[in-house]
Amino acid sequence: MGEKRYQRKIYLEDKPRAEALQEILEAARLAPETEIIPTVEALGRVTSSPIFASISMPHYHASAMDGVAVNAEDTYEAHEQRPLHLKKGSQFVYVDTGNAIPQGFNAVIMIENVQILDEETIEIIEPATPWQHIRPIGEDIVQEEMLFPQGHVLRPADLGALLAAQVTQVPAAKKPLVTIIPTGNELVQADDRLPYGKIIEFNGTVFANYIKEWGGEPVLTGIVRDEPENIKAALLQAAEVSDIIVINAGSSAGSKDYTVHILNELGTVFTHGVATRPGKPVILGQIANKIVVGVPGYPVSAYLALEWFVRPLICQYLQIPVPKRQTLSVKLGRRIVSTMGAEDFVRMNIGYVNGQFVANPLTRAAGVTMSLVRADGLLVVPPEQLGYEQGDMAEVELLKPLEDIMNSIVFCGSHDLTIDLLSSQLKTQRSDMKIVSSHVGSMAGVMAIRKGEAHIAGIHLLDPETREYNISYVKKLLSGQDVVLYPFLKRTQGWMVPKGNPLDIKSAADLAEKEAEYANRQKGAGTRILFDLLLKEQGLAPEQINGYDREMFSHLSVAAEVKGNGKAAGLGIYPAAKAMGLDFVPVGDESYDLLMTRAFFESEKGRWLIGVIQSESFKAEVDKIGGYSVVSNAESLLLDGQK
Amino acid sequence: MGEKRYQRKIYLEDKPRAEALQEILEAARLAPETEIIPTVEALGRVTSSPIFASISMPHYHASAMDGVAVNAEDTYEAHEQRPLHLKKGSQFVYVDTGNAIPQGFNAVIMIENVQILDEETIEIIEPATPWQHIRPIGEDIVQEEMLFPQGHVLRPADLGALLAAQVTQVPAAKKPLVTIIPTGNELVQADDRLPYGKIIEFNGTVFANYIKEWGGEPVLTGIVRDEPENIKAALLQAAEVSDIIVINAGSSAGSKDYTVHILNELGTVFTHGVATRPGKPVILGQIANKIVVGVPGYPVSAYLALEWFVRPLICQYLQIPVPKRQTLSVKLGRRIVSTMGAEDFVRMNIGYVNGQFVANPLTRAAGVTMSLVRADGLLVVPPEQLGYEQGDMAEVELLKPLEDIMNSIVFCGSHDLTIDLLSSQLKTQRSDMKIVSSHVGSMAGVMAIRKGEAHIAGIHLLDPETREYNISYVKKLLSGQDVVLYPFLKRTQGWMVPKGNPLDIKSAADLAEKEAEYANRQKGAGTRILFDLLLKEQGLAPEQINGYDREMFSHLSVAAEVKGNGKAAGLGIYPAAKAMGLDFVPVGDESYDLLMTRAFFESEKGRWLIGVIQSESFKAEVDKIGGYSVVSNAESLLLDGQK
C-alpha cells in the first residue's frame, strides 16, 4: 500500500453550493413515479395529481338540528296569538341532526320550538322560512370540486375531507428510495463489542432518519470496507434499485478516498468539493441516471451535506418546495470569524436572557456530534462575509422550536455533575422548562452574567488572599450589578489518578517529581485556579508540569483522559473520578455557588429552580452521587456592588 | 321511541376550558409506563429517564488528519534550513483520520507537510507541538456524561449521539393507547356503497392521525350503533385496554345522546359542556381511571375538542410540554362578532398582500370540514371579548407554515373551474407557489382588490347599460387605483337543468311559468347580476321566481342542487353542468377577466401567473373541459382611474 499511499492526484474544488445543487437537480429531472394508496394510510404523503370530490357532502339536504321537517308554506299562519297545529306525516316528520329532509319538506323547526300535543300532532307559534336549519347539498364539499392540487402534503383533517368526499384512494408521489452506503475499515456496528481504534457506525442511522422525516424511503446497507472493488459493487447494486444514493466517507482527496475515482469510472462526477465550511469534501455525481451524493465522514459535515443536497433531491422528486427554517434575530455574544469565499455554518447556542436573544457559537469542530444535538440555531455566514463582531445582530436558522429556547434556563460556568441532576428534576416538575448548560469555567461564567448571556453561573473561585470562595470575584467583576450569590454545594476536590495510584501522587510536587502526564483544565476554570495556587504554594513553575498546556473542559474529560493512561493524573471532583473508576486523593473542600441576577432570582424560572434545589428529592439524589453536601437552609447573598 | 324522544332532561354547562382541562389532567396523573426500545427505532420517541454515555467518543486518542504520528519532542529541531529525518516505527507511523495514536506518540503531522524519502524515512521541516491534530478521548462525548434528560423527543442527530456513545437501547415513555369509538346510526364506512341519508364515518380517521402525530397510539374501533347497550359495551371494553378513550358524537343533550348517562352509570362525569364556540357539547369523565373524552359529531367541533383535551393528556402521559403554535399579527379584513362569555375559535384565511398580512374569517359552521382544510390560521377570541372591528390587528395561531402563506397567490371573486387548473399548472412549474381561492362573487372580488385583501380577482360583471363586461365597474369602483384588467376567458352561461330538461326551460319566463325550483347565486355574483338582467328583460319580478332567495356560492353548488331535483333549474357555466351530468341551455357568452393591482401584475408572482395563463399547456387543459376559450394574445388593460 505504501507506494499508492501518497499519490495525491486531486485537489478539491470550491464550487458554490447553489451551483452544485442546480446541476444535480437538473440531472435528476425524471418523471417521478406515483402510486395509488388508501386514503386512511396517506398521512404525510404528497398528492401526485389534483384530487376531486367524488360526492357532495352532504350529498342530500340534511337537517342541521334535532326537530321537525315541515313545508315552510304550511307554517306562514303560525303566530304566538294563533298557535298552529301540524299533522304527522303530511305536515311534519321528526328529524335528527344529519337526517335527510324527506321529499315535500323544505324547512326544519328546532325541537325546542315545538309543543308536542300527542303522537300525531304538534303545535308551533312561529312560521318557518324556507330552507331554515337545512344544510344544503354540498354545503361542505361539492361533487367535482378540486379538494387538493398536486404537491399537497396530506394532514389529518385532509384525510377527513377526502373520506367525506368518498375518495378512498389517492394518487401519491412514490417515496424516493435512498440507499445509504457507510464505508470505512474503522467502522463497526453499534451492537458489536467495540475494539480499540474502531468507531461505531452511526451516521447511517442519522441519515436514514432524516431521509424518513423528509419524505424519502431510506435503505441502510451494511458497512462496506475501504476497497475499490467492494465500493464499486455496492454502488452498482444501489444504482439498480434506488432513486438516490448516499455514500458516506471517502469523499475527500486522501489516499483511501476511492469514491471519486470509482464514480468517474462508473458514471459522471459533477462536483468534488463545495465552497462551505464545514462540509467541503462533497462528491456529486451520477451512475445510470441515479444521483450519487458522497458525503464526508465527520458527522457535522455529513449531516449538513445531506441537507444541502439530498433533501432538495427528495423534495424535487415529491414535487414539494424545500421547507425553510424559522429564523430569529439574535445578538452575538462573541466575535465570529469566517472564511472569505466560503459559506460558513456555525452551530449556535441561543439564550433568552433579560428580554433579548443572545447567541454564542458552539465548537466548530466538524467531528463533534454533540454540537448538533446541543445547537439551538445555525448561523450561515455568506461567502463574501468575513464574519461578525461581538454585539452584532445576526439572523440564525432555528434548529429547535422558539418556545424551547424561551423556556430554557441558560447555565454557564464551571462544570458540575449535579447540574444535569438539577435539570432532570426541574423537568419532572415543569416539563416545559429545562437547563441548557455550557461548561466554560467559573471565570467565563461570571463574565456571562455580566454580559447578560446566561441566567445562572456555577462558580468556585478561590481567592488566594482571603482564602474565601467566590465573593471577592463577584464584588470585583460585577461591581454595580444587582446579583445574587446562592450557596449551592460543598464538594471535594482532589487528585484523580489511575486505579491503584501507580505513581503514588499525593501533591503537586509529586506530579513534577514523578513526571506524571497531567491533564489540566482551561484558563479561567476554578479547578485551574486552584491548581495554580497549589503549584505556587509548593514553589513550582508551570513548565515543571508535564502537560500543563493540555486543556480539558470538564471534570469528566480530565477523568476520561486519566483513565486511559497509567502515567496520567488530574485535579477534579470526587464524583468524576468515581464515575470513571479512578482513585481519588482529596485535596480539600470548596464552595460551588450559583451566581445570578436578582431579576432572574425573583423570576418564575428562578423561583422554580430554587424550589427544586431546596427539595428533599434533589438533596437525596445528590447524596447518592457522593462527595457533595447541598448547603441546607441556604441564605442567598445579595451582592449589590454599589454597597 | 316517540315517548322517550323529547324527554330533554339536561342542559349543557358553560365551564371554562382551562378548568375542564385541569380536572382531567389531575384525574389522569398516573405514573406513565416506560419501555426499552432499540435506539435505531427511537425517532420521535420521548426519553423516560436521563440517558448517560456508555463510552467516550472518541474512546481513544484519534488522529484528526491523514498523516504521520510522531513524538513532538523528536521534532523540535526541524527547521526549513535544517530538515529533519524520521525513521518509521520508532520515530513515526502513518495514520489516517480516525486512527488511534499508538503508545509513545503524541502529535500528528499532516501528510501535506511530510516529504517521503523512502519506505522507511520521511523528512519534515517544521516541529510539531504536543497533541496537535489529535482528537482527545471524549472530544465529542465523555463517558458518563448526561446526553439527554428525561422528556426529550429524539431527533435524527440525537440517535447518532446515542449510538456514538454505545447506547443501543433507550428507555422511552410508552405511547398512550387511545381508543376511538365512532357512534351513530347514520354512519357507514367509506368503502361501503353510500345509501341516501347516510354519512361516511371520517372523524375517526382524522382523530387517529392527529393522535399519531401527537405521540399516541390510536386504535379506531368499528362504528357503534346509537343504542345504550352497544355504547356501554364499547366503553367498558375500551377502558380495559386503553389509556385514554375518545367517543365521537352523542355528546350533546339530545334524546339519543346517551354518552353522558352511560358515563354517569359506569364512572364519573366531570364536565358536560365547555364555554367555547364551536365545541361546546363536550363530555369529560372517567371509567376505572381511564379518562373518557366525548366529542361532538360536527367535524370542526370534534377536532377542536380533541386538541383541547386529548392532546394535553397525551403530552402529560409522555411528560412533554404541549407544543404551541407559531402566531402571527394580522389585519382583519372583516368585522368578527363573538359570543360574550365563551371562547370563540374562528378559522381564518390569511393573505400576504401589499406587504401586510390580511385575514378574513372562513365559514363558522361547525359542520364544514373544508374550512379546516382551507384555514391558514385560527383566531381565538377570549370569553370576555365581543369581537373585533374591521381593520383591527389580531394575533392568530398559524395552521400552515408562514412560508406557505407568503408564497400563496390570493384569488378572490367569481368562481370558475379553470382557477383550480391554473393553480395546478402553476404548482407544476413552481412547487413553492400556489393559488388560494375563495369564491365570494365578482363584486366582492372587486372590493377585495380595492381593500388590498387579494392579489387577483376573477370577475364577469355585465353592465346593463353598455352591455360591456367589467370595465365600467372597475372604473367606477377602483377610481384612482392603479390596476390591470387582464382578459382571461370567454365562457358560456346557460340554464342548468336535470338530464332531459323535464320542465323544458329555455328562458327566465319558463322558470316562472313552469314553477321551477330555482337555485340562485349570492348577491354580488356576476351570474346573479346576469340573472337579474334576464328577469328585467322579460319583465319579471324576483317574487315570481320560486327559490330566488336561496343563495349558492358556486356554479358547482348550483349544479349539485339541480342534480337531485327534477323540478330544479339554475343559471351557470357549461363545465359545471357537464361535471354533474346535467343538460345545458346556452344563454350567451361572457368575458371572465382577471383584475389585479399593477404592482402584483409586475411582481414575480404575477409574472409567473401570466406566464402559465399564456402557456400552450394551460390552453390545452382548458380546451379539454369545454365551454371556454382562453383569450389569445391578450392585451391587458391598464386602468388608472385618474384618467
Side-chain angles (χ1 to χ4, degrees):
Chain A
M1 294 248 293
E3 61 290 347
K4 272 193 72 177
R5 200 170 187 116
Y6 299 103
Q7 294 168 1
R8 299 176 69 88
K9 301 158 289 295
I10 46 168
Y11 290 91
L12 297 184
E13 304 168 80
D14 250 328
K15 192 182 280 187
R17 184 164 61 100
E19 187 185 312
L21 174 61
Q22 202 47 44
E23 284 170 1
I24 56 168
L25 288 180
E26 270 161 31
R29 275 198 194 289
L30 298 168
E33 286 177 66
T34 65
E35 57 188 353
I36 303 294
I37 55 174
T39 301
V40 293
E41 293 166 15
L43 183 67
R45 297 299 295 270
V46 182
T47 56
S48 58
S49 52
I51 299 178
F52 300 89
S54 296
I55 59 162
S56 293
M57 163 75 183
H59 60 111
Y60 51 84
H61 293 302
S63 178
M65 295 283 172
D66 290 352
V68 294
V70 297
N71 189 336
E73 280 181 30
D74 295 345
T75 69
Y76 289 162
E77 300 298 309
H79 190 274
E80 218 170 326
Q81 309 303 324
R82 296 183 306 278
L84 186 70
H85 290 194
L86 297 175
K87 281 288 157 203
K88 193 168 160 185
S90 59
Q91 293 184 302
F92 81 90
V93 289
Y94 285 113
V95 285
D96 283 332
T97 306
N99 285 168
I101 305 297
Q103 274 295 26
F105 298 98
N106 69 357
V108 168
I109 302 174
M110 287 165 71
I111 196 68
E112 289 88 334
N113 299 332
V114 165
Q115 178 84 19
I116 300 166
L117 300 182
D118 59 43
E119 279 280 302
E120 297 300 320
T121 323
I122 59 168
E123 182 181 285
I124 57 169
I125 54 171
E126 225 180 358
T129 58
W131 303 104
Q132 76 175 25
H133 302 318
I134 289 180
R135 299 182 63 199
I137 291 173
E139 184 202 45
D140 190 347
I141 296 168
V142 186
Q143 186 183 332
E144 301 305 327
E145 174 185 2
M146 190 197 280
L147 296 174
F148 302 103
Q150 83 278 23
H152 179 80
V153 184
L154 292 167
R155 303 160 300 166
D158 299 339
L159 304 185
L162 287 167
L163 293 180
Q166 215 177 22
V167 179
T168 56
Q169 295 194 312
V170 288
K174 207 174 132 285
K175 296 180 178 189
L177 198 149
V178 187
T179 298
I180 303 156
I181 307 171
T183 72
N185 294 337
E186 72 287 9
L187 298 181
V188 293
Q189 298 290 3
D191 47 358
D192 290 343
R193 174 188 73 84
L194 182 60
Y196 184 79
K198 295 289 181 186
I199 295 171
I200 291 170
E201 200 296 290
F202 59 90
N203 279 347
T205 298
V206 177
F207 294 178
N209 283 282
Y210 275 122
I211 287 163
K212 205 191 286 175
E213 283 195 342
W214 297 337
E217 182 80 42
V219 174
L220 177 57
T221 74
I223 297 162
V224 174
R225 299 292 138 207
D226 272 336
E227 298 297 337
E229 287 317 306
N230 296 9
I231 294 172
K232 202 180 287 186
L235 281 172
L236 283 173
Q237 199 187 326
E240 292 221 349
V241 295
S242 329
D243 298 298
I244 302 163
I245 302 162
V246 179
I247 179 163
N248 188 210
S251 70
S252 192
S255 58
K256 286 193 181 168
D257 293 329
Y258 303 119
T259 310
V260 76
H261 309 294
I262 295 168
L263 203 52
N264 250 323
E265 191 185 323
L266 301 179
T268 316
V269 173
F270 299 126
T271 299
H272 190 196
V274 287
T276 59
R277 306 286 181 277
K280 178 182 161 92
V282 166
I283 301 172
L284 302 172
Q286 198 171 26
I287 300 177
N289 288 323
K290 308 302 173 70
I291 299 295
V292 180
V293 180
V295 299
Y298 274 140
V300 178
S301 317
Y303 311 152
L304 287 172
L306 200 78
E307 185 173 312
W308 297 333
F309 301 110
V310 178
R311 187 172 204 183
L313 281 170
I314 291 174
C315 288
Q316 173 171 295
Y317 195 95
L318 297 174
Q319 299 195 280
I320 55 173
V322 181
K324 283 185 192 128
R325 294 206 182 94
Q326 198 183 339
T327 61
L328 182 72
S329 190
V330 298
K331 189 176 154 193
L332 299 176
R334 280 201 269 296
R335 190 174 184 219
I336 291 167
V337 180
S338 167
T339 322
M340 189 72 177
E343 274 178 303
D344 241 294
F345 291 78
V346 190
R347 288 140 275 161
M348 307 291 286
N349 257 343
I350 306 171
Y352 185 64
V353 184
N354 302 338
Q356 74 178 351
F357 292 100
V358 181
N360 280 302
L362 287 153
T363 174
R364 292 170 76 170
V368 180
T369 317
M370 286 304 283
S371 67
L372 277 177
V373 168
R374 292 203 182 104
D376 301 305
L378 194 63
L379 174 67
V380 185
V381 188
E384 65 281 5
Q385 196 163 334
L386 273 171
Y388 297 91
E389 293 305 315
Q390 180 183 330
D392 278 359
M393 296 300 291
E395 287 290 306
V396 293
E397 296 181 14
L398 289 185
L399 299 172
K400 288 182 182 164
L402 184 58
E403 216 187 329
D404 278 19
I405 294 170
M406 296 197 67
N407 286 334
S408 293
I409 296 176
V410 180
F411 173 92
C412 206
S414 171
H415 171 243
D416 190 88
L417 281 81
T418 56
I419 300 302
D420 285 342
L421 268 186
L422 192 57
S423 177
S424 176
Q425 291 254 327
L426 178 68
K427 230 171 168 324
T428 306
Q429 294 184 26
R430 281 290 302 252
S431 66
D432 57 341
M433 280 189 190
K434 67 176 166 194
I435 298 176
V436 173
S437 55
S438 53
H439 309 140
V440 294
S442 294
M443 285 297 283
V446 174
M447 298 315 284
I449 297 295
R450 176 164 143 166
K451 292 192 283 174
E453 291 175 5
H455 294 114
I456 189 163
I459 59 172
H460 58 115
L461 289 163
L462 178 56
D463 186 329
E465 324 248 295
T466 64
R467 294 275 152 174
E468 206 180 30
Y469 272 90
N470 301 327
I471 296 173
S472 64
Y473 286 86
V474 173
K475 281 187 174 162
K476 196 162 57 196
L477 295 167
L478 294 178
S479 159
Q481 279 184 268
D482 204 2
V483 295
V484 170
L485 189 65
Y486 188 87
F488 180 44
L489 294 170
K490 298 281 178 197
R491 62 181 196 179
T492 311
Q493 285 271 18
W495 306 110
M496 303 197 286
V497 289
K499 201 81 199 165
N501 196 357
L503 293 183
D504 196 23
I505 302 294
K506 284 184 190 124
S507 67
D510 290 341
L511 295 175
E513 203 171 299
K514 296 170 184 176
E515 293 188 345
E517 295 179 7
Y518 185 70
N520 207 354
R521 289 292 304 280
Q522 83 275 24
K523 290 172 202 75
T527 303
R528 168 101 166 219
I529 292 171
L530 174 63
F531 183 59
D532 286 344
L533 186 65
L534 294 172
L535 287 184
K536 207 171 159 192
E537 283 179 351
Q538 307 232 337
L540 291 164
E543 298 76 47
Q544 292 175 266
I545 302 297
N546 196 352
Y548 182 87
D549 291 330
R550 189 99 195 284
E551 300 188 344
M552 306 280 146
F553 278 77
S554 75
H555 297 287
L556 275 175
S557 299
V558 171
E561 198 57 37
V562 171
K563 192 187 183 186
N565 180 352
K567 294 177 68 184
L571 186 62
I573 56 174
Y574 169 72
K578 185 183 161 200
M580 291 287 173
L582 301 176
D583 273 8
F584 183 78
V585 183
V587 167
D589 282 357
E590 64 173 12
S591 298
Y592 179 91
D593 300 330
L594 299 181
L595 176 67
M596 59 199 93
T597 62
R598 196 215 289 237
F600 175 76
F601 182 69
E602 290 171 354
S603 71
E604 193 200 355
K605 280 179 188 170
R607 279 179 285 122
W608 274 97
L609 189 75
I610 301 297
V612 172
I613 291 174
Q614 293 176 339
S615 70
E616 288 311 312
S617 61
F618 176 65
K619 285 178 189 166
E621 288 287 322
V622 172
D623 282 345
K624 266 194 236 162
I625 303 182
Y628 286 112
S629 60
V630 179
V631 180
S632 291
N633 306 317
E635 272 192 39
S636 57
L637 201 59
L638 261 173
L639 291 163
D640 178 349
Q642 303 294 32
K643 290 165 197 164
Chain B
M1 294 244 293
E3 60 289 347
K4 270 193 74 179
R5 204 171 181 113
Y6 299 103
Q7 294 168 2
R8 300 177 68 87
K9 301 156 289 295
I10 47 169
Y11 290 91
L12 297 184
E13 305 169 79
D14 250 328
K15 192 182 280 187
R17 184 164 60 99
E19 188 185 313
L21 174 61
Q22 200 48 42
E23 284 169 2
I24 56 168
L25 288 179
E26 270 161 31
R29 276 197 193 288
L30 299 167
E33 285 177 65
T34 65
E35 58 188 352
I36 303 294
I37 56 174
T39 301
V40 293
E41 293 166 15
L43 183 67
R45 297 298 295 270
V46 182
T47 56
S48 58
S49 52
I51 300 177
F52 299 90
S54 296
I55 58 161
S56 293
M57 162 76 183
H59 60 109
Y60 51 85
H61 292 302
S63 179
M65 295 283 172
D66 290 351
V68 295
V70 296
N71 189 334
E73 281 182 30
D74 295 346
T75 69
Y76 289 162
E77 300 299 310
H79 189 273
E80 216 171 326
Q81 307 303 324
R82 295 183 305 278
L84 185 71
H85 290 194
L86 297 175
K87 282 287 153 201
K88 191 168 160 184
S90 58
Q91 293 183 304
F92 81 90
V93 289
Y94 285 113
V95 285
D96 284 331
T97 306
N99 284 168
I101 304 298
Q103 273 297 23
F105 297 98
N106 69 357
V108 168
I109 301 174
M110 286 164 72
I111 197 67
E112 288 88 335
N113 299 331
V114 165
Q115 177 84 18
I116 300 166
L117 300 184
D118 60 41
E119 280 279 302
E120 298 299 320
T121 323
I122 59 168
E123 181 181 282
I124 57 169
I125 54 171
E126 226 181 358
T129 58
W131 303 104
Q132 77 176 23
H133 303 318
I134 289 180
R135 300 182 63 198
I137 291 173
E139 185 202 44
D140 190 346
I141 296 168
V142 186
Q143 186 184 331
E144 302 303 329
E145 174 183 2
M146 189 197 280
L147 296 174
F148 303 103
Q150 82 279 22
H152 179 82
V153 183
L154 293 167
R155 303 160 300 167
D158 298 341
L159 304 185
L162 287 166
L163 292 180
Q166 215 177 21
V167 179
T168 55
Q169 296 193 311
V170 288
K174 207 174 132 287
K175 296 180 178 189
L177 198 149
V178 186
T179 298
I180 303 156
I181 307 172
T183 72
N185 294 338
E186 73 286 9
L187 297 181
V188 293
Q189 299 289 4
D191 47 357
D192 290 344
R193 177 187 71 83
L194 183 60
Y196 183 81
K198 295 288 181 185
I199 295 171
I200 292 170
E201 199 295 291
F202 59 89
N203 278 348
T205 298
V206 178
F207 294 179
N209 283 283
Y210 275 123
I211 287 163
K212 206 192 286 176
E213 282 195 343
W214 298 338
E217 182 82 42
V219 174
L220 177 57
T221 74
I223 297 163
V224 174
R225 298 293 137 206
D226 271 336
E227 297 297 335
E229 287 316 306
N230 296 9
I231 294 172
K232 202 180 287 186
L235 281 171
L236 283 173
Q237 200 187 329
E240 291 220 349
V241 296
S242 328
D243 298 298
I244 302 163
I245 302 161
V246 178
I247 179 162
N248 188 211
S251 70
S252 194
S255 58
K256 287 192 181 169
D257 294 328
Y258 303 120
T259 310
V260 75
H261 310 291
I262 294 168
L263 204 53
N264 249 324
E265 191 185 324
L266 301 179
T268 317
V269 173
F270 301 125
T271 300
H272 191 197
V274 287
T276 60
R277 304 288 181 276
K280 178 183 162 94
V282 166
I283 300 172
L284 302 172
Q286 198 171 25
I287 300 176
N289 289 322
K290 307 302 172 69
I291 299 295
V292 180
V293 179
V295 300
Y298 273 140
V300 179
S301 317
Y303 311 152
L304 286 172
L306 200 78
E307 183 172 313
W308 298 332
F309 301 111
V310 178
R311 187 172 204 182
L313 282 170
I314 292 174
C315 288
Q316 173 171 296
Y317 195 96
L318 297 173
Q319 299 196 279
I320 55 172
V322 180
K324 282 184 192 130
R325 294 206 183 93
Q326 198 183 339
T327 61
L328 181 73
S329 192
V330 298
K331 188 176 155 195
L332 298 176
R334 281 202 268 296
R335 189 174 184 219
I336 290 167
V337 180
S338 167
T339 321
M340 190 71 176
E343 273 178 303
D344 241 293
F345 291 78
V346 190
R347 289 139 275 161
M348 307 290 287
N349 257 344
I350 307 170
Y352 185 65
V353 185
N354 302 338
Q356 73 179 349
F357 292 100
V358 181
N360 280 303
L362 287 154
T363 173
R364 293 170 76 171
V368 180
T369 318
M370 285 304 284
S371 66
L372 277 176
V373 168
R374 293 204 181 102
D376 300 306
L378 194 64
L379 174 68
V380 185
V381 189
E384 67 280 7
Q385 196 162 335
L386 273 171
Y388 296 91
E389 294 304 316
Q390 180 183 332
D392 278 359
M393 296 300 291
E395 287 289 307
V396 293
E397 296 181 14
L398 289 185
L399 299 173
K400 288 181 183 165
L402 184 57
E403 217 187 328
D404 278 19
I405 294 170
M406 297 196 67
N407 286 335
S408 293
I409 296 176
V410 182
F411 173 92
C412 206
S414 171
H415 172 242
D416 190 88
L417 282 81
T418 56
I419 300 302
D420 285 342
L421 267 186
L422 191 58
S423 177
S424 176
Q425 290 254 329
L426 178 68
K427 230 170 169 324
T428 307
Q429 294 184 28
R430 283 289 302 253
S431 66
D432 58 339
M433 282 188 189
K434 66 177 166 195
I435 298 175
V436 174
S437 55
S438 53
H439 308 141
V440 293
S442 294
M443 285 297 282
V446 174
M447 297 316 284
I449 297 295
R450 174 165 146 164
K451 293 192 281 174
E453 291 176 4
H455 294 114
I456 189 163
I459 59 172
H460 58 117
L461 290 163
L462 178 57
D463 186 330
E465 323 249 295
T466 63
R467 292 275 153 174
E468 206 181 29
Y469 273 90
N470 300 326
I471 297 174
S472 64
Y473 287 86
V474 173
K475 282 188 173 159
K476 195 162 57 194
L477 295 167
L478 294 178
S479 157
Q481 279 184 268
D482 204 2
V483 295
V484 170
L485 189 65
Y486 189 86
F488 181 45
L489 294 171
K490 298 281 180 199
R491 61 181 196 180
T492 311
Q493 286 271 17
W495 306 111
M496 302 196 286
V497 289
K499 201 82 197 164
N501 196 358
L503 294 183
D504 196 22
I505 302 293
K506 285 184 191 124
S507 66
D510 290 340
L511 294 174
E513 203 171 298
K514 297 171 182 176
E515 294 188 346
E517 296 179 6
Y518 186 69
N520 206 352
R521 291 291 305 279
Q522 82 276 23
K523 290 171 201 76
T527 303
R528 168 102 166 218
I529 292 170
L530 174 63
F531 183 60
D532 287 345
L533 186 66
L534 294 172
L535 288 184
K536 208 173 156 190
E537 281 178 352
Q538 308 232 337
L540 291 163
E543 299 76 47
Q544 293 176 266
I545 302 297
N546 197 353
Y548 181 88
D549 291 330
R550 188 99 195 284
E551 300 188 344
M552 306 280 147
F553 279 76
S554 75
H555 297 286
L556 276 175
S557 299
V558 171
E561 199 56 38
V562 171
K563 192 187 183 187
N565 181 353
K567 295 178 66 185
L571 186 62
I573 55 174
Y574 169 72
K578 186 183 161 201
M580 290 286 174
L582 302 177
D583 273 7
F584 183 78
V585 184
V587 167
D589 282 357
E590 64 173 10
S591 298
Y592 180 92
D593 299 331
L594 299 180
L595 177 67
M596 60 199 93
T597 61
R598 195 214 292 238
F600 176 75
F601 183 69
E602 290 171 354
S603 71
E604 192 200 356
K605 281 179 188 171
R607 279 180 284 123
W608 274 97
L609 189 75
I610 301 297
V612 172
I613 291 173
Q614 294 176 340
S615 70
E616 287 310 313
S617 62
F618 176 65
K619 285 178 188 165
E621 289 286 322
V622 172
D623 281 347
K624 267 194 236 161
I625 304 182
Y628 286 111
S629 60
V630 178
V631 180
S632 291
N633 305 318
E635 271 191 43
S636 57
L637 202 58
L638 260 172
L639 290 163
D640 180 348
Q642 303 293 33
K643 291 167 200 167

